Amino acid sequence: MNAPSSSYRSGFACFVGRPNAGKSTLTNALVGTKVAITSDRPQTTRHTVRGIVHRPDAQLVLVDTPGLHKPRTLLGERLNDLVRTTWAEVDVIGFCLPADQKIGPGDKFIAKEIAGIKKTPKVAIVTKTDLVDSKRLAEQLIAIHQLGIELGFEWDEIIPVSAVGDKQVELVADLLTKLLPEGDQLYPEGDLTDEPEQVMVAELIREAALEGVRDELPHSLAVVVEEMLPREGRPADRPLLDIHANVYIERQSQKAIVIGAKGARLKHVGTTARKHIEALLGTPVYLDLHVKVAKDWQRDPKQLRKLGF
């Protein structure tokens, strides 16, 4: 586990930003595999998913937090508490700001929060640069610099990046690792995340279930993997993993949306999720999905606990 050279660096970095600012996409691009779920629905990340970037001279552990927002439910409050706890414990904070959107009240709200964390280095990462021209990008870089000055701190770096086009992704890794403390490896070579497999499988199912669904659903969807067991009596060269999972929604009316006409939608969710799960676990999978109603679970502390929040 010990590092070969004395100047080896290791530590934790987290990406913060408004929901849908490109945090998960950037995490996946850096790690080179799908560890954080990405969706064009805001507020899809609920767990602190850690991606691990292995380099010859460093190990960078990425902590992906939910987007900080003004909470409307008990779930919202718990997510915000989770974000703040994470910020206080990392070695460097990367603030993701999309290039194609002006700095808004949501960004200022977050910038003000991180300005209060005095000792931690702060890097502004301008995401989605493939969506704007160079003039708009220059304006955004100046605005971000200005934002730091207004709040009484200076960014350690401001980096434009497009995770989709792989532009500058390596540079982000270089700059973040430079700001880490010297230290030994934290995780064995080859580990990509310390998230329990069951949680990651649930996230992949949730991502598939959110795809192309009407706007009222993102917050009301939770997935719990009830069990993951190797099928008994299979030959060693043809294993099969049985996964039984429940998709929870809040109202009976949402059930029809998730299941779709004659079950077509749920079938599509199962096929999509299964492909991703098989890629993640490297084994064939039989996925058994059921949709259940947990009435108003986002506001009920008992149900929140049961669903893992």
Side-chain angles (χ1 to χ4, degrees), residues 66-223:
L68 192 74
H69 61 298
K70 293 205 162 73
R72 288 191 300 274
T73 61
L74 182 61
L75 172 67
E77 282 169 33
R78 291 206 179 163
L79 290 174
N80 278 356
D81 290 344
L82 180 74
V83 177
R84 292 197 183 93
T85 315
T86 306
W87 292 1
E89 292 166 356
V90 295
D91 300 296
V92 54
I93 295 172
F95 185 10
C96 294
L97 294 131
D100 64 331
Q101 293 163 35
K102 280 197 155 56
I103 292 174
D107 299 312
K108 289 179 179 162
F109 172 65
I110 294 168
K112 209 164 157 180
E113 292 265 339
I114 61 174
I117 305 165
K118 297 283 183 237
K119 291 198 178 84
T120 313
K122 299 162 195 65
V123 174
I125 301 167
V126 189
T127 58
K128 309 188 184 186
T129 54
D130 49 307
L131 302 178
V132 298
D133 60 21
S134 53
K135 181 175 174 287
R136 175 75 192 96
L137 180 57
E139 286 166 4
Q140 187 73 330
L141 295 175
I142 292 164
I144 290 168
H145 177 65
Q146 212 39 55
L147 179 65
I149 292 171
E150 278 166 31
L151 293 168
F153 72 89
E154 200 169 327
W155 301 103
D156 287 74
E157 299 280 355
I158 300 178
I159 321 159
V161 61
S162 161
V164 178
D166 256 355
K167 278 193 190 126
Q168 308 279 82
V169 171
E170 272 306 300
L171 180 66
V172 173
D174 290 343
L175 294 172
L176 291 176
T177 36
K178 238 191 264 172
L179 295 166
L180 297 177
E182 291 192 1
D184 294 342
Q185 260 190 341
L186 300 162
Y187 292 92
E189 272 306 320
D191 278 15
L192 293 173
T193 176
D194 70 351
E195 194 66 77
E197 279 179 350
Q198 220 146 317
V199 173
M200 292 186 72
V201 166
E203 287 285 270
L204 289 170
I205 296 168
R206 192 162 161 265
E207 180 179 24
L210 281 174
E211 233 169 79
V213 175
R214 293 218 300 273
D215 293 341
E216 71 265 33
L217 231 53
H219 301 281
S220 346
L221 202 80
V223 176

